[in-house]
Amino acid sequence: MNRKIVNRDIATFRGDVAVLVPAAGSGLRLGGGVPKALRELDGRSLLSHAISRLTAAPSVGLIVVAAPPHLVAETAQMITAETAADAGTAAGAEVEIVVVAGGATRQESVALALAAVPEGLDIILVHDAARALTPSGLVESVAAAVREGHGAVIPALAVVDTVKRVSAADAVLGTVDRSELRAVQTPQGFRRSILVKAHADAVDQHTDDAGMVERLGLAVHCVPGSEYALKITRPIDLILAEALLRAETA
Ligand code: CTP
Ligand code: MG
């Protein structure tokens, strides 16, 4: 881990996909006093859960984690210890994992991870560490849609609640047509050149990478998302994730 990979022959990666994992957030809404990616769920960190599922997707050849800047070495050690049992499970080859220092915002963390991807890997996924239980099947379906020619791909789910626009004074301004709405998840997948341009041209902060591609006026394609790809954000999400994990292993 943390080896210099810039000059590495692309053909030696296990798969043709690089996944950037922003994991440098502090997790204020979840609480607990540690960065969210390092919070434990069933004896291992959220980040390790996410990495295990990424390495179980055969397309993935490289994972670049953006860690809290003061915890880069600890994060690398933790990944080595907690994912040792996963290594080499697919096709007998290991997925390369690199840890870099993240930034002050999610967007900055993604940009820093993107800068560490060697030339030649042309399909790049961006995946929140906080979506720790994302199935490898979703990773594969996003990668496949990029491979088939979509420049930007997002997993999306229908919105279950009725959604209203409300004024600052709590007065309802109107009801939004729910059939047109989707809740969007990660991994989001991109042709490399599009993601690089989106980040280079970004003038303000976006909560996802596809938002920057939309701003360029380029097409973004939806594939079906997964309930398991929920973003662990609030304390109740951790309880839900524990239950999902139990249901999965039962
Ligand atoms: N993230 C990051 N760098 C930042 C901020 C966020 O890499 N400066 C990552 C988080 O680690 C997380 C993902 O972006 O995996 C989505 O962010 P979010 O769920 O908002 O996580 P946090 O920012 O950690 O949580 P909070 O907003 O509650 O503090
Ligand atoms: Mg945040």
Side-chain angles (χ1 to χ4, degrees):
M1 216 175 292
N2 278 329
R3 285 190 292 268
K4 187 169 167 51
I5 54 162
V6 175
N7 296 320
R8 181 165 159 176
D9 179 359
I10 297 308
T12 64
F13 284 106
R14 189 195 69 167
D16 62 347
V17 172
V19 189
L20 316 180
V21 182
S26 45
L28 293 178
R29 287 169 290 179
L30 189 59
V34 287
K36 183 160 69 177
L38 307 181
R39 275 292 289 273
E40 288 207 351
L41 174 65
D42 193 31
R44 62 200 296 209
S45 66
L46 295 181
L47 178 59
S48 293
H49 281 285
I51 287 177
S52 291
R53 285 150 194 266
L54 288 171
T55 55
S59 290
V60 175
L62 169 69
I63 296 172
V64 183
V65 175
H70 62 293
L71 294 172
V72 171
E74 288 87 340
T75 301
Q77 276 161 15
M78 184 272 295
I79 294 170
T80 306
E82 293 188 354
T83 65
D86 306 327
T89 45
E94 277 193 44
V95 175
E96 185 89 26
I97 303 176
V98 178
V99 183
V100 300
T105 63
R106 180 188 184 280
Q107 194 165 312
E108 217 180 293
S109 295
V110 172
L112 288 163
L114 180 57
V117 179
E119 291 300 321
L121 282 168
D122 285 329
I123 299 177
I124 303 192
L125 270 49
V126 184
H127 183 48
D128 294 326
R131 298 186 190 271
L133 301 186
T134 299
S136 17
L138 184 60
V139 178
E140 286 299 327
S141 72
V142 170
V146 178
R147 218 175 271 123
E148 282 159 16
H150 296 287
V153 177
I154 57 174
L157 288 178
V159 172
V160 290
D161 292 313
T162 295
V163 178
K164 296 193 191 285
R165 288 184 300 106
V166 177
S167 76
D170 289 332
V172 170
L173 301 172
T175 303
V176 185
D177 177 7
R178 194 172 63 189
S179 68
E180 277 195 352
L181 298 180
R182 299 291 180 277
V184 168
Q185 306 177 315
T186 74
Q188 299 189 346
F190 304 90
R191 189 54 61 190
R192 184 197 186 113
S193 55
I194 290 177
L195 186 63
V196 168
K197 183 165 173 44
H199 273 270
D201 291 4
V203 285
D204 39 27
Q205 291 295 319
H206 295 258
T207 51
D208 76 344
D209 299 277
M212 285 181 270
V213 173
E214 291 155 38
R215 219 189 135 268
L216 295 177
L218 298 175
V220 177
H221 178 70
C222 294
V223 297
S226 164
E227 304 283 4
Y228 278 78
L230 82 154
K231 183 156 70 92
I232 298 171
T233 306
R234 300 149 302 179
I236 196 169
D237 299 322
L238 211 46
I239 295 167
L240 180 57
E242 267 163 21
L244 288 172
L245 207 52
R246 272 200 305 276
E248 213 181 34
T249 50

